[in-house]
Every structure is written in structure tokens, then in C-alpha cells.
Amino acid sequence: MNRYLTALLVALSTTGQAQSLQSAPRLVVNIAIDELRTDYIEAFAPLYGEGGLKKLLQQGRVYEAASYSFEPLDRASAIAAIATGTTPYYNGITSSKWLDRKSLRPVGCTDDDRYTASPKKLSTSTIGDELKVATNGAAIIYAIASEKDAAILSAGHAADGAIWIDERKGTFSTSGYYSNKARKWLDAYKSVYSQRTEDEGSKNLAVVQAAKECVRDNRMGKDEITDLLSITLSAKGRNATNWQKDMESVYRKIDQVVAELISGIESSVGKQNVLFFLTSTGYTTQENVDYTRYQIPTGTFYINRTANLLNIYLGAIYGQGRYVEAIFRNQIYLNHQLLEQKRIGLAEVLTRSQEFLIQNAGVRDVYTSTRLLDGNSDIEKIRNGHNPAISGDIIVEVAPGWQLYNEDNQQKYTSRVSFVPFPVIAYGGNIKAERITMPIAVDRIAPTIAKAIRIRAPNACKAAPLF
């Protein structure tokens, strides 16, 4: 018996040593492609080269059915979810802009009074933040994107630098929030590469070029301490009349820049030392369409007029007053101070408001802060995209095909609830090629990276790793 026990212990010891010899990736590259779609990836696959999207699809671990566990979705909320592994309910980034309850004015998700732009409105840690903590600040962390919100939110609070393309100048920029080292590197980089960018294709090329130089110049992935690079590209079309040709061009260019990024980083760091993750922001921008021209059921829901009527309705019940304090997009903000002064319960007002609003033409559903606590599966995605500190008290969902219009500030959008298919792809880091059809949520990327580099997941991340 002792002989068999000894043999078992030796076998376990040998297995443990073999596993311990498999080191963590020296560099993780987290790529988000704004508005990337699986159906377009597949439609244009015959046009791809060997080193880009085709390489990832053939040699990576491909999760075909990815989704976000909240709505509504835009670039900022999606990037924040990828970085934090959680939803706006916890990380605070409900969209690129929201209404500030104190000033009743719209604020950007990265606006900062001191630095102009920073991640201070991101209320949880990111995978980059946890990597900095785990390495006592030694890990090198950068994020590069064409858009400011994507760069800052994917970088997190503790990053060395977040770099984006200034929309007015067309050249790279950063914020005083980040280290002097990052700003000096960017100045040096711009002295060599000072080209202006205008369209999405040139911006993607500029982001990839800067990413490769950032890895090389900052010696990312050159030691045993894992570094992190987050990149955001764009697969957004120009809404051209011949949209098929337009998207064909977009996806061919995406394939080319992804190939350039992979080959450049693998040659700099070593293929065996880098782990890539690629996914999408999971939505598509929709132009406002005149459905009446095509006899498709439609209409216009004027939220400003409806809010005024709601105020009159509540005044008739509780006495005159400004009960509706503000509206922003499809959200209505109530005057909490007035309700407290009149000693009116918020839950009662919300119930009456819901009953009133649901009767309006074009309204599919009405969600209130009390109803969002119900836990119904249909409501859960709305709740996850809601944040009590910044979101409105009432959320109005208009029917598909209807346009929500605010005449006071000219905000308008046409409601769509179409599913946008997109993948999550992991490539490198000794990951075996595999196709997985099981549906997954994007918030599992952060804990998977954390497990791969042996650190804690972000502090509001409840999702399990993918592998």
C-alpha cells in the first residue's frame, strides 16, 4: 500500500511541477471593436488575409454567442463592462452622457473639473487596477482608442496612460490625470508620427500604430510581471446608400489592422508570451428612418409634452408644484425635494406615474425604480443598466419603430430591439482552438483575464471565468 501511495504522491508532485512551470502571459491585449457583428464577420470572411480575423477564428477559443447583461447599450457602457466585469448598476457608467441631478445638466462619463478628463466617475475597479495592486504598481498599463471615453474607461483608475484621438485636432491626446512618463512618451511619439486622422479607417490604423510603438517603447511584456494593453477599434460604417459595399470595405480594413496588431505585438513580445482577447461593444448605431415612407407602423412619442402632462396630472392629485424636475433621453427625473416637503411617498408617485404613462400611444412599457426591484427576468437587463445615483426615476420604453423625440433639446432616436450577434475570442497563452456555442456574457472576460494572470477579479465582478 505504501508503494502505491508513494507512486501517487510522486505523480501528483510531477503534475503540480508541470503546471507551475506554465507561466502567466507577460502581456495581455484586450481588444474591443465598436459595433463589430458576427454576421458581417462571416459574410466577408472570404476576403480576409491569413493573419487577422481568420487567424483568430481558426486558432482561437471562439465563443460564438456573446451578449451584455444590461440595456440600453452604447460604447461607454460596453467598454466599462468589459473592463470591470460588471454592469452599470455597480460601475456607474450607464452611457456616454447622463443628467447630473444637482445641476440638471448633461455630463460626460469622463468629464472632470480638475483634469478635464479622468475615470473618476467609474465607481469600481477594473482589471488593470487590480493588476496594478497585485504587482505593487510595477505592471505597465496603457489604453489606446480613437474615442476619449473608450480609452479612459478601459484604462481604469491606476493606468500609466490613456491615449485617444482629439476630435478637433485629429491627433493623439491624453489627460493630466495620467503620469508624466505617459505624457512624455506621447509627446515623443507625436514628434515622429504627427499625421491627422479623419475617417474610421485612418483612426484604426493610427490606434494600431500607436499601440505597437507603445509596447515597444515602454518595454511592455519584457519581464515576468504581466502588463496590460487595452485597445478600442471601430467597425462603424458611413451609412452609405450602398451599405453592403461600405461594410465590406470596413471589415476588410478591420481584418488588416488586426493582422498588423497581432504580428507586431507577437514579434515584439514573443508569440508564447501574449494573450489576446477580442470582442465587440455589442450594438449598432441606427440612423433615424422615415418608416412612414415604407408604410411600416411608426409614430412619434414626444417625451417633453408627455412629461408636462404628467406634471399636470400629479398636480391635480397632490396640489400644484413642479413634480417633474427634468427629462433626459427616455428618463424622467422627479423632484424628490418637493415630494419630501409635501410628505408624499415616492413609491406612490411612481405607481401613479407608471399608470398614467403606460396609456400613451407608442409606449411599450414603463419602468420605475420600485418596479426594477421586482427581479423579473425581463426587467433584469433594464435594472442592470440602471444606476440609482444617476439614472432617472422613470424609464419610458417606446414601441419598436417609434421615434422618441424631445423638442426642448432636439434629442431623438428610433426604438429598435434587434439582437446584434457578436463573439468573444481568446487567442494565445497556450489556449487551444475551439468553437463554443454556449451563450456567455461579456462580463466574464475580466475574471478570465484575472485567472490567467493570477490576480483578483475587479471588486464588483461576480461572474465566473470562462476557463
Side-chain angles (χ1 to χ4, degrees):
M1 179 66 70
N2 288 340
R3 183 180 62 189
Y4 293 120
L5 181 59
T6 302
L8 177 60
L9 291 173
V10 169
L12 290 172
S13 175
T14 304
T15 303
Q17 288 174 0
Q19 290 176 343
S20 66
L21 291 175
Q22 185 176 332
S23 58
R26 292 186 176 185
L27 176 65
V28 175
V29 181
N30 206 5
I31 307 167
I33 303 183
D34 196 23
E35 302 197 23
L36 185 76
R37 297 175 59 118
T38 298
D39 48 355
Y40 288 166
I41 294 174
E42 294 174 346
F44 306 121
L47 306 175
Y48 302 153
E50 297 299 321
L53 294 174
K54 184 182 292 186
K55 182 175 185 176
L56 293 177
L57 291 169
Q58 291 178 348
Q59 300 181 29
R61 188 179 178 103
V62 181
Y63 294 86
E64 297 178 351
S67 65
Y68 286 82
S69 55
F70 61 91
E71 56 184 41
L73 192 64
D74 69 357
R75 181 183 58 242
S77 59
I79 296 296
I82 295 169
T84 63
T86 192
T87 66
Y89 186 84
Y90 292 102
N91 67 37
I93 306 299
T94 59
S95 62
S96 60
K97 288 185 177 181
W98 56 77
L99 200 71
D100 180 77
R101 282 188 175 270
K102 294 180 180 179
S103 65
L104 298 181
R105 293 182 178 180
V107 294
C109 62
T110 58
D111 288 352
D112 186 303
D113 294 336
R114 179 179 177 185
Y115 296 108
T116 305
S118 83
K120 74 173 187 178
K121 291 185 172 67
L122 187 64
S123 56
T124 64
S125 71
T126 65
I127 189 66
D129 295 336
E130 296 295 343
L131 180 56
K132 275 288 188 183
V133 172
T135 60
N136 197 26
I140 304 170
I141 299 171
Y142 278 89
I144 305 175
S146 61
E147 302 291 344
K148 176 173 61 177
D149 55 6
I152 290 175
L153 297 174
S154 59
H157 306 87
D160 295 278
I163 296 162
W164 61 89
I165 298 173
D166 186 286
E167 59 183 358
R168 291 172 299 176
K169 298 178 181 178
T171 56
F172 281 111
S173 181
T174 189
S175 164
Y177 174 87
Y178 300 101
S179 67
N180 287 328
K181 180 182 176 182
R183 296 198 298 275
K184 288 179 179 177
W185 174 79
L186 180 57
D187 289 340
Y189 176 78
K190 287 167 64 178
S191 68
V192 178
Y193 302 96
S194 58
Q195 75 275 23
R196 283 182 57 86
T197 57
E198 296 179 359
D199 60 9
E200 297 296 333
S202 64
K203 288 178 181 179
N204 285 340
L205 283 170
V207 167
V208 167
Q209 178 65 37
K212 293 192 301 179
E213 296 299 320
C214 180
V215 169
R216 189 191 68 181
D217 295 345
N218 291 287
R219 296 188 58 78
M220 299 178 73
K222 293 297 184 181
D223 57 27
E224 299 299 322
I225 298 174
T226 301
D227 301 319
L228 175 65
L229 175 66
S230 295
I231 299 169
T232 306
L233 303 173
S234 174
K236 188 183 299 184
R238 296 172 298 179
N239 296 302
T241 302
N242 191 343
W243 62 269
Q244 291 176 316
K245 280 290 184 185
D246 180 40
M247 296 314 298
E248 176 185 318
S249 175
V250 167
Y251 276 72
R252 289 183 71 171
K253 291 177 180 178
I254 283 288
D255 175 59
Q256 291 165 4
V257 296
V258 169
E260 183 178 339
L261 177 68
I262 293 173
S263 63
I265 290 181
E266 285 186 340
S267 63
S268 175
V269 179
K271 182 177 180 179
Q272 71 282 5
N273 295 322
V274 60
L275 171 62
F276 292 89
F277 267 87
L278 182 144
T279 193
S280 168
T281 52
Y283 75 102
T284 55
T285 303
Q286 300 290 342
E287 289 293 298
N288 288 314
V289 179
D290 182 9
Y291 277 141
T292 57
R293 179 182 174 187
Y294 305 99
Q295 299 183 348
I296 299 173
T298 186
T300 301
F301 174 74
Y302 296 93
I303 192 167
N304 58 309
R305 300 181 190 179
T306 306
N308 290 335
L309 290 174
L310 174 62
N311 198 76
I312 294 171
Y313 170 73
L314 295 175
I317 298 172
Y318 301 113
Q320 288 189 339
R322 187 186 175 193
Y323 295 93
V324 176
E325 194 166 36
I327 51 177
F328 186 73
R329 292 184 179 149
N330 66 332
Q331 300 182 38
I332 298 174
Y333 294 74
L334 298 178
N335 189 335
H336 289 213
Q337 186 175 0
L338 177 63
L339 297 181
E340 290 176 3
Q341 288 174 352
K342 287 178 172 284
R343 296 183 179 180
I344 304 170
L346 176 61
E348 178 187 334
V349 175
L350 290 173
T351 299
R352 289 184 180 274
S353 297
Q354 182 184 5
E355 292 171 350
F356 173 82
L357 292 169
I358 200 70
Q359 300 177 52
N360 286 265
V363 174
R364 182 187 177 278
D365 210 340
V366 179
Y367 303 94
T368 65
S369 53
T370 53
R371 186 184 172 202
L372 291 173
L373 300 176
D374 291 349
N376 183 291
S377 58
D378 294 333
I379 297 176
E380 193 66 19
K381 291 188 77 171
I382 302 292
R383 176 186 179 274
N384 288 340
H386 180 273
N387 186 282
I390 59 176
S391 297
D393 300 288
I394 302 168
I395 301 168
V396 180
E397 181 184 350
V398 296
W402 275 64
Q403 184 180 86
L404 183 143
Y405 184 32
N406 185 339
E407 296 166 299
D408 296 337
N409 57 17
Q410 305 304 305
Q411 286 182 347
K412 64 173 67 175
Y413 71 88
T414 301
S415 175
R416 295 181 68 92
V417 292
S418 307
F419 171 67
V420 176
F422 67 93
V424 168
I425 305 174
Y427 163 74
N430 297 311
I431 293 173
K432 294 181 180 180
E434 189 176 358
R435 283 266 181 168
I436 300 170
T437 57
M438 176 187 67
I440 64 156
V442 166
D443 54 11
R444 296 180 67 182
I445 293 175
T448 306
I449 293 174
K451 182 181 177 183
I453 59 179
R454 298 159 195 166
I455 64 169
R456 295 179 303 181
N459 60 17
C461 177
K462 299 180 179 180
L466 290 167
F467 51 84

